[in-house]
């Protein structure tokens, strides 16, 4: 059933048609029959989804709206907003997962019947799956239809559900293809991507590492749960209970639904400011995982001066992170483990040195692990992981583990080498936890006597206490890099193109990518989000990001399998970035094939009987070609791939041009590799000379 009330923005129309937003603007100007706005603002209008679909079909620009796009547009156009709509969807997907036959019964009928019968059956599912914890709920007045602060998921009423009926039917239909959990993850990931400025995600790899550092547990608390990434990452043994709290009601509801769809553990959720109004004052959990908000001044300093949680000292106004550390310790059982993501300043600010000293003296702080730059937002800082244990009757450990994984930072914006970070962090932590000390690993890890850290600063930054890498290893590595650079430069010299032979300007008949796609000469697909924020999965495929294409590097992103329908690359595909203003096109080779297509990329899959891939990629890189197909905003340039032009040439002539373009690509790759090796050699020599591990002669 089509929902005529659902609205879609220009960006949504572009996503439906697989074009850039500039193309939608052109359609509005050039076609008087383009649907008129029905809402939004003058600068950001919205349109009726049904009218847009009909117009796109009439114009031959859309054969059928994919189900996942229809559901997404219905969700974003919901009259109560996408967050409320997503909660409604999560409730129904949980019902389908728990009681599928009940859904089949109430789905057979009108929207009015569906909305009338749903609340009663949802009440039973919610009561069975959640235990709901109020935080002074009687003090809070809820607006009609808002998420109830006394429950993690407020069961919507019939009138509230009626506008959602087409969306709910579509979501269940999508779940029949993807599964209930995967459908919710897909929609949640899209929602978080669309509202990225409102939320601070915990990357899936980081969440998994934090959960593994903590180890298995029957009771797990996240006092700043956000969208539940950390709790979703933990192992789920039988009898497990997961506790979540957050100050945002919509986040608590989404987390509760996400966890209920993901695990059979008991899920308890509460809404409230954790530091001011904690939900679980009597809880003694086996594990606490937390990604707290950073640098908060208004965390309750003036109100909580005599709070019993400050066992290690009253945090200063600018030390909100140390308040979260002590809250985590207060909610642990004796011997329990907490893992918190911390800003690097928390390890060295003078205002927190007395609390850090007491954490060390009493054996509560067991390890500080420095992550590479780019591990989590803010991406320009090397964040830390603090591993803490609530002291029990065992003697206080005399040493603390310091680890620096900064060497595993990735290139550009591809993110760190997570496998190397995980291996280094878990290997050192488990060895230290077993023995109580760790043999020195230069440049990586060291267990430091507590007494050595108890000076005037109590500085816990790992890099300041670790010995540099062994000089012999560094010199040998630099020699290997130098040899590789010399070989690459010789290769680049051999690949240098021959002198250009002048020719008169060509006057070929031209076609466009859009015309070729409509004629079946090539398939055009757009990329998806490279990794759903806060999600996780056991099977992952690498993602080719726009930064990988621009840098000529291997796939560096990750996409949780099943959470988003990935567009997988094949040998001979041509991939084009749509942002950045560069004339770039990359032909997928055997090494890149099988990677998922990332966001802001367009994939062109030519029919080999009509188009040569290298001919296609080469002509798409023409500067004039890109200029005429680009639109410009105040801060970015966007390429409308459908407007890129290609000469109409016989296949044999295409292959002649393609061979030359391929040779140019090999030369370009050799130059890029030489540049990377040269930068690595320079950096190593500067570091070696300045730290005394390389002789100046």
């Amino acid at each position: 059933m089509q929902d005529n009330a659902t609205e879609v923005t220009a960006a949504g129309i572009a996503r439906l048609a697989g074009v850039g937003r500039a193309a939608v603007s052109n359609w509005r100007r050039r076609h008087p029959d383009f649907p008129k706005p029905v809402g939004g603002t003058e600068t950001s209008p919205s349109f009726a989804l049904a009218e847009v679909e009909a117009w796109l079909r009439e114009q031959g620009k859309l054969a059928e709206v994919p189900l996942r796009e229809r559901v997404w547009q219905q969700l974003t156009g919901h009259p109560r907003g996408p967050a409320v709509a997503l909660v409604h969807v999560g409730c129904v997907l949980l019902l389908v997962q728990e009681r599928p036959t009940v859904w089949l019964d109430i789905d057979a009928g009108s929207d009015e019947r569906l909305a009338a019968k749903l609340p009663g059956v949802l009440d039973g599912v919610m009561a069975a799956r959640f235990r709901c914890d109020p935080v002074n709920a009687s003090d809070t007045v809820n607006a009609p239809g808002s998420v109830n602060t006394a429950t993690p998921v407020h069961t919507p009423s019939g009138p509230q559900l009626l506008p959602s009926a087409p969306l709910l039917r579509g979501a269940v239909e999508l779940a029949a293809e993807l599964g209930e959990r995967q459908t919710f993850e897909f929609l949640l990931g899209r929602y978080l991507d669309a509202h990225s400025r409102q939320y601070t995600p915990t990357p899936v790899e980081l969440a998994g590492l934090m959960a593994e550092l903590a180890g298995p547990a029957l009771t797990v608390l996240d006092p700043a749960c956000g969208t539940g990434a950390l709790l979703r990452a933990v192992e789920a043994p039988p009898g497990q209970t997961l506790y979540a709290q957050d100050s945002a009601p919509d986040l608590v509801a989404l987390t509760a639904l996400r966890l209920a769809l993901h695990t059979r553990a008991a899920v308890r959720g509460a809404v409230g400011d954790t530091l001011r109004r904690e939900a679980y004052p009597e809880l003694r959990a086996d594990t606490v995982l937390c990604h707290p908000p950073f640098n908060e001044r208004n965390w309750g300093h003036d109100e909580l001066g005599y709070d019993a949680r400050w066992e290690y000292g009253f945090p200063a106004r600018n030390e909100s992170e140390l308040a979260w550390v002590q809250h985590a310790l207060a909610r642990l059982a004796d011997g329990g483990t907490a893992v918190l993501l911390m800003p690097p300043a928390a390890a060295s600010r003078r205002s927190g040195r007395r609390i850090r000293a007491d954490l060390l003296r009493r054996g509560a702080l067991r390890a500080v692990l420095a992550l590479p730059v780019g591990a989590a937002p803010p991406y320009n800082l090397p964040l830390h992981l603090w591993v803490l244990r609530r002291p029990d009757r065992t003697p206080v450990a005399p040493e603390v583990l310091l680890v620096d994984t900064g060497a595993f930072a990735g290139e550009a914006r591809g993110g760190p080498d997570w496998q190397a970070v995980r291996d280094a962090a878990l290997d050192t932590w488990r060895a230290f936890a077993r023995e109580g000390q760790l043999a020195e690993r230069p440049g990586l890890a060291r267990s430091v006597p507590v007494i050595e850290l108890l000076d005037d600063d109590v500085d816990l930054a790992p890099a300041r206490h670790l010995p540099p890498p062994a000089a012999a290893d560094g010199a040998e590595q630099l020699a290997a890099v130098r040899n590789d650079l010399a070989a690459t430069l010789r290769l680049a010299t051999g690949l240098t193109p021959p002198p250009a032979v002048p020719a008169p300007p060509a006057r070929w008949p031209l076609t466009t990518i859009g015309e070729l796609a409509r004629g079946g000469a090539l398939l055009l697909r757009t990329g998806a989000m490279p990794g759903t924020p806060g999600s996780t999965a056991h099977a992952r495929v690498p993602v080719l990001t726009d930064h990988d294409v621009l840098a000529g590097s291997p796939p560096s992103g990750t996409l949780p399998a099943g959470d988003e329908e990935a567009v997988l690359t094949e040998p001979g595909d041509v991939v084009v970035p749509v942002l950045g203003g560069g004339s770039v096109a990359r032909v997928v080779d055997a090494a890149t094939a099988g990677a998922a297509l990332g966001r802001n990329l367009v994939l062109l899959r030519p029919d080999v009987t009509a188009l040569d891939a290298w001919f296609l990629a080469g002509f798409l890189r023409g500067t004039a070609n890109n200029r005429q197909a680009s639109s410009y905003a105040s801060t970015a340039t966007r390429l409308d791939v459908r407007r890129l032009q290609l000469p109409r040439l016989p296949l044999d002539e295409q292959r002649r041009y393609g061979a030359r373009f391929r040779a140019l690509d090999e030369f370009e790759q050799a130059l890029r590799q030489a540049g990377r090796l040269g930068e690595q050699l320079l950096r190593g020599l500067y570091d070696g000379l300045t730290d005394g591990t390389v002789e100046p002669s």
Side-chain angles (χ1 to χ4, degrees):
M1 179 185 298
Q2 178 63 53
D3 180 9
N4 293 321
T6 299
E7 298 177 11
V8 61
T9 63
I13 297 172
R15 187 192 289 270
L16 288 172
V19 299
R21 291 187 62 174
V24 178
S25 298
N26 287 336
W27 294 342
R28 293 184 63 196
R29 287 194 300 267
R30 294 166 50 194
H31 297 277
D33 61 337
F34 191 87
K36 303 302 181 187
V38 297
T41 64
E42 185 176 345
T43 57
S44 181
S46 59
F47 307 82
L49 177 60
E51 295 178 8
V52 168
E53 290 179 19
W55 187 87
L56 290 173
R57 288 196 189 93
E58 289 173 4
Q59 298 293 320
K61 302 179 187 300
L62 182 68
E64 183 60 45
V65 178
L67 177 59
R68 62 176 55 228
E69 287 301 330
R70 181 189 298 278
V71 172
W72 171 245
Q73 297 300 341
Q74 288 173 333
L75 188 143
T76 57
H78 193 279
R80 298 191 62 82
V84 172
L86 192 53
V87 171
H88 291 183
V89 168
C91 290
V92 168
L93 291 176
L94 186 59
L95 168 65
V96 173
Q97 180 174 278
E98 299 285 317
R99 304 176 185 178
T101 57
V102 174
W103 167 259
L104 292 175
D105 174 59
I106 62 176
D107 183 41
S110 66
D111 288 354
E112 289 75 12
R113 177 179 181 272
L114 176 70
K117 295 182 72 69
L118 258 180
V121 296
L122 287 179
D123 273 336
V125 173
M126 299 298 125
R129 289 298 280 123
F130 303 122
R131 175 162 179 190
C132 311
D133 295 280
V135 183
N136 299 330
S138 60
D139 298 337
T140 305
V141 179
N142 294 299
S146 67
V147 181
N148 193 327
T149 56
T151 62
V153 186
H154 172 62
T155 302
S157 66
Q160 292 168 346
L161 284 168
L162 184 57
S164 301
L167 166 65
L168 300 179
R169 296 183 195 275
V172 173
E173 184 181 352
L174 184 59
E177 299 178 8
L178 305 180
E180 293 80 21
R181 177 184 65 82
Q182 292 88 344
T183 297
F184 190 74
E185 290 293 329
F186 161 69
L187 295 173
L188 177 62
R190 280 271 186 97
Y191 171 74
L192 295 176
D193 180 31
H195 300 82
S196 57
R197 294 186 179 181
Q198 299 178 27
Y199 306 108
T200 301
T202 305
V204 55
E205 297 86 358
L206 176 57
L209 173 59
M210 293 173 67
E212 288 190 88
L213 286 169
L218 287 179
T219 55
V220 185
L221 166 68
D222 184 348
C225 65
T227 55
L230 293 176
L231 291 176
R232 191 174 182 268
V234 302
E235 293 183 19
Q240 186 182 64
T241 303
L242 303 176
Y243 296 83
Q245 183 173 353
D246 201 280
S247 58
D250 57 339
L251 292 183
V252 174
L254 293 174
T255 290
L257 290 166
R258 189 182 198 190
L259 295 174
L261 287 163
H262 176 70
T263 179
R264 297 307 303 173
V267 178
R268 299 180 62 180
V271 179
D273 184 324
T274 298
L275 294 181
R276 288 186 173 92
R277 302 165 65 200
E278 58 174 323
Y280 310 107
E282 307 303 321
L283 177 65
R284 296 296 179 267
D286 300 322
T287 291
V288 176
L289 300 174
C290 188
H291 178 174
F294 296 162
N295 302 318
E296 280 201 338
R297 292 301 183 101
N298 185 27
W299 58 268
H301 177 272
D302 295 337
E303 309 156 40
L304 302 172
Y306 298 99
D307 196 288
R309 289 171 290 180
W310 315 141
E311 296 181 47
Y312 302 88
F314 181 41
R317 189 182 302 277
N318 66 332
E319 293 287 359
S320 61
E321 297 86 9
L322 294 182
W324 286 97
V325 164
Q326 294 191 76
H327 173 82
L329 286 167
R331 293 299 140 254
L332 282 175
D334 288 347
T337 301
V339 182
L340 281 80
L341 183 66
M342 301 284 281
S348 56
R349 277 190 300 243
R350 288 188 61 81
S351 54
R353 65 189 187 279
R354 292 183 179 177
I355 294 177
R356 294 195 298 271
D358 209 31
L359 290 169
L360 291 172
R361 289 191 192 98
R362 298 172 60 180
L365 182 59
R366 303 300 299 120
V368 177
L369 296 87
L371 297 169
V373 171
Y379 291 107
N380 61 327
L381 291 179
L383 302 178
H384 291 176
L385 290 178
W386 286 24
V387 182
L388 304 112
R389 281 193 174 158
R390 181 155 183 90
D392 51 20
R393 294 186 177 86
T394 59
V396 173
E399 299 192 2
V400 64
L401 176 66
L402 300 180
V403 181
D404 187 358
T405 62
F408 306 121
E411 295 184 2
R413 294 175 57 185
D417 182 347
W418 277 111
Q419 188 60 48
V421 172
R422 177 185 175 278
D423 291 345
L426 293 178
D427 181 49
T428 53
W429 166 246
R430 288 169 178 168
F432 173 76
R434 225 175 16 249
E435 306 295 334
Q437 58 184 5
L438 182 77
E440 192 173 273
R441 302 186 185 183
L444 176 63
R446 175 191 174 202
S447 61
V448 182
V450 167
I451 192 65
E452 186 178 317
L453 299 171
L454 295 176
D455 54 17
D456 288 341
D457 295 323
V458 197
D459 191 332
L460 305 180
R464 293 173 184 165
H465 301 279
L466 299 181
D473 293 342
E476 290 175 5
Q477 184 179 11
L478 289 177
V481 171
R482 186 179 184 280
N483 291 337
D484 289 343
L485 175 60
T488 305
L489 289 173
R490 288 193 296 271
L491 175 63
T493 300
L495 293 172
T496 301
V501 178
R507 294 289 185 266
W508 296 303
L510 300 176
T511 185
T512 66
I513 294 298
E515 291 171 350
L516 291 170
R518 287 192 292 273
L522 57 80
L523 174 69
L524 187 150
R525 300 290 299 276
T526 56
M529 180 64 184
T532 302
S535 58
T536 185
H538 294 293
R540 295 189 181 92
V541 294
V543 171
L544 184 68
T545 69
D546 54 342
H547 305 293
D548 300 331
V549 175
L550 292 169
S553 55
S556 64
T558 56
L559 179 73
D563 291 353
E564 175 94 35
E565 184 181 3
V567 177
L568 300 182
T569 58
E570 297 179 2
D573 289 344
V574 177
V575 180
V576 182
V578 297
L579 293 180
S583 302
V584 178
R586 176 170 172 176
V587 178
V588 174
D589 56 15
T592 306
L597 191 68
R599 190 183 182 195
N600 297 324
L601 291 176
V602 171
L603 179 145
L604 305 174
R605 182 166 294 158
D607 179 350
V608 296
T609 63
L611 280 175
D612 179 79
W614 286 100
F615 164 80
L616 172 63
F619 273 94
L620 295 188
R621 293 190 61 169
T623 301
N625 198 7
N626 273 257
R627 187 182 299 118
Q628 62 84 28
S630 296
S631 59
Y632 305 93
S634 58
T635 58
T637 303
R638 187 173 186 91
L639 182 68
D640 185 351
V641 175
R642 291 176 180 268
R643 291 174 54 189
L644 287 170
Q645 297 176 336
L646 206 66
R648 296 182 182 272
L649 295 178
L651 190 57
D652 288 345
E653 187 69 0
Q654 291 181 34
R655 288 170 178 160
R656 192 167 73 90
Y657 274 95
R660 184 66 185 275
F661 287 135
R662 185 167 192 166
L664 290 177
D665 181 79
E666 292 174 354
F667 178 58
E668 180 180 26
Q669 295 305 316
L671 291 178
R672 286 178 186 243
Q673 178 66 4
R676 284 192 285 263
L677 290 169
E679 289 180 3
Q680 186 178 350
L681 180 60
L682 280 172
R683 186 170 59 248
L685 287 172
Y686 272 112
D687 289 345
L689 288 167
T690 54
D691 65 19
T693 59
V694 172
E695 287 287 341
S697 57

